[in-house]
Amino acid sequence: MDNNKQECELICGKCQVPLQMEKVEFNYMNHQFRHDFPRCPVCGQVYIMEEIVNGKMKEVETALEDK
Ligand SMILES: [Zn+2]
């Protein structure tokens, strides 16, 4: 196995397959975001990482404060 590619190391607990990065849309405070999240190609389970969501929330909050 070569580890040259930077891949998501998450594995679906149900299907035991590596998750693939996929664009997922989500909403927060009436703002729509698009971000790559790891998703199971078999069952479609999306793993939304809290760090990313929190980061996006901060962006929104900053934008709201700035106006
Ligand atoms: Zn799965």
Side-chain angles (χ1 to χ4, degrees):
M1 296 294 271
D2 65 317
N3 286 328
N4 288 338
K5 270 194 293 179
Q6 223 186 354
E7 272 184 20
C8 185
E9 289 176 10
L10 290 171
I11 287 175
C12 178
K14 270 193 263 176
C15 315
Q16 301 297 311
V17 293
L19 304 184
Q20 297 176 349
M21 295 307 282
E22 212 168 287
K23 274 221 155 57
V24 176
E25 289 186 13
F26 63 97
N27 287 290
Y28 174 71
M29 286 175 68
N30 298 320
H31 288 71
Q32 199 168 48
F33 299 103
R34 237 175 261 144
H35 204 281
D36 287 326
F37 285 106
R39 181 180 184 165
C40 174
V42 177
C43 70
Q45 173 75 52
V46 177
Y47 287 75
I48 295 189
M49 287 163 283
E50 258 181 59
E51 302 161 20
I52 290 168
V53 176
N54 288 340
K56 288 287 179 194
M57 284 181 185
K58 273 199 187 124
E59 277 175 36
V60 172
E61 280 160 15
T62 305
L64 291 176
E65 281 168 13
D66 273 355
K67 103 179 143 163

